Amino acid sequence: NDNDICAENNACYCVLMGFSSSGSKSYSDEDYDYTHDADFIKFSANSPLSGVAILQLTYGTEDTITFDVECERTEGNVRIVLLDENLNIVYDFDVAQRSSYTVNDAKGKEFEIRVAGESAKFTVNVARQFSSN
């Protein structure tokens, strides 16, 4: 439910999963490793995933950020959401087809993309693009 998705601490169970990231980071703090802070994220749940997991963390370095999500679900239920810095749901991505969402006035704000699953097997690709107004 929304309370589980928006909780500050998440729980997730998945025996076989894959995660890769590439591209630039948005956080400038070099002392902290933001593994999920990257322009491109690929996440695969090769065994059923249940719970909530963070896919991508983003700090607004520009005025506008466009998030692009493409999900291929093979089992179970999947929900992918964009959260703002107060952990409120800003947008629900369509998991049946590629979907995008643009945030304006994003500079200096933080965002998370999270996935919630119920016995779900899937692969998801997440991309972000920064631009100035």
Side-chain angles (χ1 to χ4, degrees):
N1 63 34
D2 286 2
N3 289 336
D4 295 325
I5 293 171
C6 298
E8 192 165 329
N9 297 311
N10 305 111
C12 179
Y13 178 78
C14 184
V15 175
L16 297 171
M17 71 173 85
F19 179 87
S20 65
S21 62
S22 63
S24 298
K25 298 205 175 291
S26 60
Y27 287 90
S28 61
D29 185 357
E30 295 177 11
D31 295 332
Y32 189 80
D33 179 26
Y34 291 97
T35 304
H36 297 273
D37 177 21
D39 290 335
F40 305 98
I41 301 289
K42 182 174 184 174
F43 181 91
S44 298
N46 301 315
S47 66
L49 177 142
S50 292
V52 178
I54 294 172
L55 295 176
Q56 185 182 60
L57 299 171
T58 298
Y59 178 77
T61 59
E62 298 290 340
D63 295 328
T64 303
I65 309 168
T66 299
F67 296 95
D68 187 57
V69 172
E70 186 173 20
C71 181
E72 183 180 329
R73 180 185 58 84
T74 55
E75 273 185 36
N77 296 317
V78 176
R79 182 177 178 194
I80 301 172
V81 299
L82 175 67
L83 302 178
D84 65 14
E85 65 272 12
N86 297 314
L87 301 179
N88 296 312
I89 296 173
V90 174
Y91 187 74
D92 263 282
F93 291 96
D94 189 335
V95 296
Q97 62 186 358
R98 179 181 219 134
S99 94
S100 296
Y101 184 75
T102 299
V103 177
N104 295 305
D105 192 31
K107 193 163 190 166
K109 298 177 182 172
E110 296 180 308
F111 301 92
E112 292 184 20
I113 294 181
R114 294 185 181 183
V115 60
E118 295 174 328
S119 301
K121 288 184 180 179
F122 61 93
T123 299
V124 62
N125 292 300
V126 179
R128 68 178 180 210
Q129 183 175 355
F130 297 96
S131 58
S132 296
N133 289 340

